[in-house]
């Protein structure tokens, strides 16, 4: 294996939640590698640890044990500020319920991660425009999320994830709140991005969409129980 | 900039939230701004003189304590001759002056040495100040007029300087006009505008050594920094005092001189103390407002968890989230601050209406750029106080839980919110209880001051000033004659039951001195209490409604010099002859060569001499004709409304002397009102603050109970589904309100017990830990809490269980 081509390496990742006197093992020794430009799907039944894994991959949470290398850099035990910085630069999130900020316009939503990076207004404007062009939403730039359909909102969410030119896109059930037509359109958008070289890691329990990925990792009770390469 | 834009948008999109938060902050900041505007005008505003911190009053004092005894003429001359630390040093006394003309008027004036007006370091608008040559008896009479008097009475006539006007019945050459806005600030006759300055002719005669009627005023030399100059002056004045005491031990035993900066004296210690108390309480109101807005921001944070989670997911660091929330609270506080300044400006009219009349520089109370700056600064502090907790709370959001849970869960931030909101409500109630208790104590004090029997008739007694200046009244007999005629004419008026003359009114202070009684011999080392002294006509007690306890009043007739008959008050009789009637005993001044002896012929009821709240001091009443004073008060006891007598009294005075104005006409009720004006001012403001604090606390508790009730809607639905009655649900919510009230009361009582010391000098007739006041404050707070809790309780009691079970 070409190490330089590996974007993410997880080794023995465990996550234990402590509530009162109860320990919940959400992840139990997960080993996973994601290559650059790879499209990976994480699948599994409800409560199997998919979202916890995605949180750790997206640096929104830290593992209880294990090693996490992102872009060749150990990130498992970084502090809040360092994780926020890396998350801003390396990770693009796409959520099931879009999670656009209702009080910001489409443009401002897309610009937001660039603001946190401290880029100047000209660069921010150029990148936000590019991202919106890419998802076909530049004509809705001044609209507010409430003025858009679900499909359009998710495309804006994709543009927001892309604007920062992250190393990886993490998509958590990106079609969960969409009808089938809009769901297909968003999946097609992700495939197009993958074709252009984006690395995508998607959580879904819908087998129709899991097929879009090159590789599907099946989780069960916090462990990877199966990895399936796509036939496509 | 993005944070600011977003914050603006947030406030615009939530007009209800913004309005409540801004109004809350405006009330808190407005209260503080209003008090600051008073504080600034009275205390912080530089005095309108050159280098004003170098101006000091010079007083005589006991060597052990700094007290405020005036100087005598010989004291002044000793000080002037021996000091090296003053650039200018003068002495002055206050006096009412009669200005001739049509109509004649009486104005407040100053008799001063030439150095006094020079000491202020300002130049006259026209003409000049006095010269030392004009301080001598027999020189031509000169006068300086205030700019206002010159403009209003003499139409701003530039030719007036050099011309003669009639002052106190004699021609005086106008030599100067003060600059516009010039104020002569004095601890005597505070709040009275001084309009006329005439030279003070002081005597060097050693017999006058104990005639202490003059206040020293000096300007420290500019050769040293102010602090060093003041310290040097204190040392030098003390040394001069000790030398004078060695030379004149009979009158100056243990006496020294000392300097007190004008800047402190023109405010007055009691005013400063009351202002500091008002600041304290306004600060407490602001804290309630902050806790209230912090609660609002916390509940707002609950609604915006998803947004915060997304921001985290997009790479915002905690500091960035905190910054954004603080920006929002800062913006809120700034708008609240501006609104508060607006409220304060709108309330200044009310404030001016409540201000005691004797406050100096009160006309300078306004909202200017410095007050606005204070308001904005306070807004910044407020933003941090009320914004930091919500910002820190929201920064604890666990993004993935929120994002996956669609905002219904909130991890640690939700727990923190659930923990903090009731605590903030408890804090609001505790502070409100504290303020309520202070307000009740002040209100009861004020009520007790008003209810205290003053020992004289209030409603039907009229008083007016009469000053007998000039050649017509130079001799004592002339003064006595005038008064005898005036009193006869006044008593002949229909509706007049009695008329009298006195040299001073109850509650307004006056002359005092030390006395010796039979068996006591003069000993300069012995300390004697001060005894108040009044010179009155025999009908004074009847006219003033002061009860005769035993004996009789002084008979009319002669008696100037030698042995007098005198009346004393009950306090003096009990002080010197406890258990006896005191009649027939004699008194004399505490002096090696007493100039008079008085035999007590009557004892009258006590009246307070130095204010409605001061203890009655021993007092001697001499007959007016024993020592007729220039300035005296006409007292008229009327059968009906006394003010109706004023035109007739003016006519009677004009018949005796057409140039004699009747001034300062008041009923004794007005004298009491003036004496209690400071307390009334403070009490009314504290009442206002209490109402504000209770209202804010009520709104705050309502918000918290509402929030909690809303988040328990599903639980209430379940309870209803399992058979709970609506009354039981109602009780559940009210129990929460009572829990808050209980802790609020507990902490409030603790704070009250610790803070009550701020009132130690301001209460009257009530203990600072009065159980009734505490209980009433607790009742107020608990009732407010129950009222606040009953609305959400009533609302959840009406919830439909089916809808409630669907609630997320």
């Amino acid at each position: 294996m070409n190490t330089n081509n590996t974007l993410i390496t997880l080794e023995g990742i465990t996550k234990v939640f402590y509530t009162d006197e109860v320990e919940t093992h959400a992840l139990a020794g997960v080993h996973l590698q994601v290559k650059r430009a790879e499209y990976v799907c994480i699948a599994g039944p409800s409560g199997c640890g998919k979202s916890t894994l995605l949180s750790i991959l997206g640096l929104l949470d830290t593992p209880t044990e294990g090693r996490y290398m992102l872009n060749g850099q150990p990130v498992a035990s970084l502090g809040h500020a360092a994780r926020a910085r890396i998350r801003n630069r390396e990770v693009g999130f796409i959520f099931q319920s879009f999670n656009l900020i209702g009080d910001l316009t489409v443009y401002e939503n897309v610009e937001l991660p660039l603001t946190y990076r401290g880029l100047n207004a000209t660069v921010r404007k150029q990148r936000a425009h590019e991202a919106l062009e890419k998802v076909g939403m530049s004509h809705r730039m001044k609209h507010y999320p409430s003025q858009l359909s679900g499909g359009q909102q998710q495309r804006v969410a994709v543009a927001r994830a892309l604007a920062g030119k992250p190393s990886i896109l993490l998509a958590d059930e990106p079609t969960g709140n969409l009808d089938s037509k809009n769901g297909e359109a968003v999946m097609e958008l992700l495939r197009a991005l993958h074709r252009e070289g984006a690395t995508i890691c998607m959580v879904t329990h819908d087998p129709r969409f899991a097929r879009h990925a090159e590789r599907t990792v099946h989780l069960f009770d916090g462990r990877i129980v199966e990895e399936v390469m796509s036939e496509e | 900039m993005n944070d600011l834009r977003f914050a603006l948008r947030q406030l615009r999109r939530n007009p209800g939230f913004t309005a409540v938060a801004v109004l809350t902050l405006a009330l808190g900041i407005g209260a503080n701004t209003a008090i600051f505007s008073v504080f600034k005008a009275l205390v912080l505003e530089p005095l309108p003189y050159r280098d004003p911190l170098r101006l000091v009053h010079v007083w005589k004092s006991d060597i052990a304590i700094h007290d405020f005894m005036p100087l005598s003429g010989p004291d002044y001359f000793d000080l002037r001759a021996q000091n090296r630390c003053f650039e200018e040093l003068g002495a002055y006394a206050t006096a009412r002056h009669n200005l001739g003309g049509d109509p004649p008027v009486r104005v407040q004036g100053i008799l001063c040495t030439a150095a006094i007006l020079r000491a202020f370091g300002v130049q006259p608008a026209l003409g000049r100040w006095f010269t030392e040559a004009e301080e001598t008896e027999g020189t031509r009479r000169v006068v300086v007029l205030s700019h206002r008097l010159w403009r209003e009475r003499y139409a701003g006539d530039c030719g007036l300087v050099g011309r003669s006007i009639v002052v106190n019945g004699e021609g005086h050459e106008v030599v100067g006009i003060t600059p516009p806005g010039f104020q002569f600030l004095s601890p005597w006759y505070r709040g009275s505008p001084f309009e006329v300055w005439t030279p003070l002719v002081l005597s060097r005669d050693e017999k006058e050594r104990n005639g202490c009627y003059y206040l020293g005023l000096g300007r420290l030399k500019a050769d040293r920094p102010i602090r060093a100059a003041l310290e040097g002056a204190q040392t030098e004045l003390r040394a001069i005092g000790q030398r004078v005491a060695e030379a004149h031990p009979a009158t100056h035993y243990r006496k020294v001189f000392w300097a007190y900066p004008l800047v402190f004296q023109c405010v007055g210690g009691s005013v400063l103390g009351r202002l500091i108390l008002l600041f304290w309480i306004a600060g407490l109101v602001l804290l309630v407002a902050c806790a209230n807005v912090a609660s609002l921001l916390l509940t707002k944070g609950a609604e915006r968890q998803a947004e915060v989670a997304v921001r985290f997911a997009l790479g915002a660091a905690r500091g960035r989230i905190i910054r954004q929330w603080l920006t929002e609270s800062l913006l809120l506080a700034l708008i609240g601050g501006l609104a508060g300044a607006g409220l304060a400006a709108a309330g200044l009219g009310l404030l001016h209406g409540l201000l005691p009349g004797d406050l100096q520089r009160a006309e300078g109370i306004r909202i200017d750029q410095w007050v606005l700056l204070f308001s904005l600064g306070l807004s910044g502090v407020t933003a941090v106080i009320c914004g930091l907790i919500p910002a820190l709370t929201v920064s604890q959001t666990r993004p993935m839980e929120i994002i996956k849970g669609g905002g219904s869960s909130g991890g640690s931030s939700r727990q923190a919110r659930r923990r903090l909101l009731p605590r903030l409500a408890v804090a609001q109630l505790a502070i409100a209880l504290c303020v309520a208790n202070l307000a009740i104590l002040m209100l009861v004090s004020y009520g007790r001051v008003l209810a205290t029997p003053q020992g004289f008739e209030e409603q039907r007694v009229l008083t007016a000033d009469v000053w007998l200046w000039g050649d017509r009244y130079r001799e004592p007999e002339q003064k006595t004659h005038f008064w005898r005629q005036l009193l006869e004419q006044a008593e002949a008026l229909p509706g007049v039951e009695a008329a009298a003359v006195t040299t001073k009114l109850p509650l307004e202070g006056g002359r005092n001195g030390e006395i010796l009684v039979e068996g006591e011999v003069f000993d300069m080392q012995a300390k004697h209490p001060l005894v108040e002294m009044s010179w009155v006509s025999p009908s004074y007690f009847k006219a003033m409604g002061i009860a005769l306890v035993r004996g009789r009043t002084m008979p009319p007739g002669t008696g100037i010099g030698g042995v007098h008959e005198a009346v004393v008050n009950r306090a003096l009789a009990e002080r010197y002859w406890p258990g006896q009637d005191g009649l027939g005993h004699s008194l004399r001044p505490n002096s090696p060569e007493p100039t008079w002896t008085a035999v007590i012929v009557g004892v009258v009821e006590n009246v307070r001499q130095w204010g409605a709240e001061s203890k009655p001091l021993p007092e001697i009443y001499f007959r007016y004709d024993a020592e007729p004073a220039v300035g005296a008060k006409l007292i008229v006891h009327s059968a009906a409304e006394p003010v109706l007598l004023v035109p007739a009294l003016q006519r009677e005075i004009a018949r005796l002397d057409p140039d004699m104005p009747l001034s300062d006409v008041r009923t004794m009720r007005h004298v009491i009102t003036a004496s209690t004006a400071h307390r009334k001012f403070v009490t009314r403001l504290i009442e206002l603050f209490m109402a504000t604090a209770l209202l804010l606390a009520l709104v705050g508790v309502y918000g918290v109970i509402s929030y909690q009730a809303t988040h328990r809607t599903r639980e209430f639905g379940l309870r209803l589904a399992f058979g709970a009655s609506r009354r039981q649900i109602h009780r559940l919510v009210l129990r929460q309100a009572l829990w808050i009230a209980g802790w609020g009361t507990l902490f409030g009582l603790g704070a009250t017990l610790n803070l009550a010391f701020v009132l130690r000098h301001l209460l009257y007739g009530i203990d600072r830990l009065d159980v009734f006041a505490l209980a009433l404050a607790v009742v107020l707070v608990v009732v407010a809490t129950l009222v606040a809790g009953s609305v959400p309780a009533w609302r959840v009691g009406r919830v439909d269980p089916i809808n409630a079970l669907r609630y997320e």
Side-chain angles (χ1 to χ4, degrees), chain A residues 51 55 87-88 103 108 116, chain B residues 9-10 311-312 314 400:
Chain A
S51 292
S55 296
R87 190 161 64 235
N88 179 259
D103 289 330
E108 287 166 337
Y116 292 139
Chain B
R9 200 174 294 171
Q10 278 295 316
R311 287 179 184 272
F312 271 126
L314 297 179
M400 232 26 217

Side-chain angles (χ1 to χ4, degrees), chain B residues 162-375:
Chain B
R163 290 217 307 262
S164 179
I165 62 169
V166 175
V167 180
N168 298 328
E170 293 169 325
H172 283 64
E173 184 193 338
V174 179
V175 294
I177 308 293
T178 63
F182 174 76
Q183 284 179 297
F184 190 98
L185 297 175
S186 171
W188 291 343
Y189 289 93
R190 285 178 195 279
S192 299
F194 294 101
E195 309 280 16
V196 167
W197 289 261
T198 50
L200 173 65
V201 179
L202 286 172
S203 169
R204 293 173 186 268
D205 188 345
E206 278 305 324
K207 287 182 189 161
E208 297 294 324
R209 178 66 74 176
N210 218 16
C212 304
Y213 312 114
Y214 311 107
L215 179 50
L217 176 73
R219 169 174 288 280
L220 297 169
K221 281 182 181 166
D223 56 354
R224 280 185 285 177
I226 289 166
R227 196 187 175 91
L230 184 61
E231 283 170 2
Q234 301 291 22
T235 309
E236 188 178 83
L237 289 172
R238 197 178 177 85
I240 296 172
Q242 283 168 342
R243 284 198 292 275
V244 173
E246 280 167 21
H248 309 282
T251 53
H252 277 64
Y253 179 71
R254 288 177 60 83
K255 298 279 194 310
V256 289
F257 300 112
W258 70 292
Y260 191 57
L262 176 66
V263 65
F264 299 142
Q265 193 129 45
C266 70
V267 181
S270 64
V271 173
L272 197 60
R274 287 184 163 108
L275 280 177
I276 289 169
L277 171 73
L278 287 174
F279 254 132
W280 260 91
I281 298 177
L284 290 177
V285 173
L286 182 60
L287 276 181
V288 176
C290 285
N292 206 321
V293 173
S295 298
L296 283 172
L297 288 170
L298 274 172
T299 49
K300 201 75 200 152
E303 292 169 21
R304 290 173 56 190
Q305 283 186 124
E307 173 212 318
V308 175
V310 170
R311 287 179 184 272
F312 271 126
L314 297 179
R318 280 186 72 183
R320 189 64 201 260
I321 298 291
I322 291 171
R323 194 179 91 184
Q324 185 211 322
W325 276 76
L326 281 180
T327 305
E328 289 185 34
S329 52
L330 182 65
L331 188 63
L332 207 54
L334 285 177
I335 299 171
L338 286 174
L343 272 183
L348 278 191
L350 173 76
L351 201 65
H352 275 288
L354 284 173
L355 283 174
D358 64 349
L359 279 184
Q360 301 195 102
R361 305 204 289 163
E363 67 287 347
I365 298 172
R366 60 178 172 270
I367 306 295
D368 59 13
Q369 71 270 32
W370 296 107
V371 176
L372 277 177
L373 201 64
F374 168 84
S375 191

Side-chain angles (χ1 to χ4, degrees), chain A residues 107 111 114-115 119-128, chain B residues 2:
Chain A
Y107 171 78
E111 185 199 27
L114 307 177
T115 311
L119 296 175
N120 68 46
T122 316
V123 178
R124 291 203 305 266
K125 189 174 176 184
Q126 183 199 339
R127 289 220 194 160
Chain B
N2 276 330

